[in-house]
Amino acid sequence: MPHIDITMFPGRDHDTKAALAQKVQRFIAQDLGIEERVVSVSIRDIPKDKWAEHMAAFAEDTQFIKPKV
């Protein structure tokens, strides 16, 4: 079922990432009306100097919300 891939700047510890992943899993499962066990979540750190390159890899039509920075 759904896989959520979160990318962010480095700086958060493993426990913080694990807690975020659990919250996202719970929310997605509840919102879609599915079991939590079928939702997977990954978190990757992307350095600031690689951010633009990383974001350019996503197809324009898949980015439903873009940062306003």
Side-chain angles (χ1 to χ4, degrees):
M1 272 303 265
H3 175 77
I4 310 306
D5 183 28
I6 300 170
T7 54
M8 63 175 93
F9 293 153
R12 292 161 185 92
D13 63 30
H14 177 81
D15 291 342
T16 300
K17 291 177 187 177
L20 174 61
Q22 287 181 326
K23 289 175 188 174
V24 169
Q25 180 191 45
R26 196 171 303 123
F27 174 80
I28 294 296
Q30 182 179 25
D31 200 57
L32 295 178
I34 58 178
E35 296 181 43
E36 287 182 22
R37 66 181 185 82
V38 300
V39 179
S40 57
V41 180
S42 61
I43 299 176
R44 295 184 287 159
D45 290 334
I46 306 296
K48 288 181 182 182
D49 63 332
K50 301 286 184 188
W51 191 259
E53 177 184 337
H54 172 74
M55 292 305 293
F58 291 99
E60 187 72 25
D61 64 336
T62 66
Q63 296 184 42
F64 287 91
I65 300 173
K66 296 180 184 181
K68 295 170 177 54
V69 292

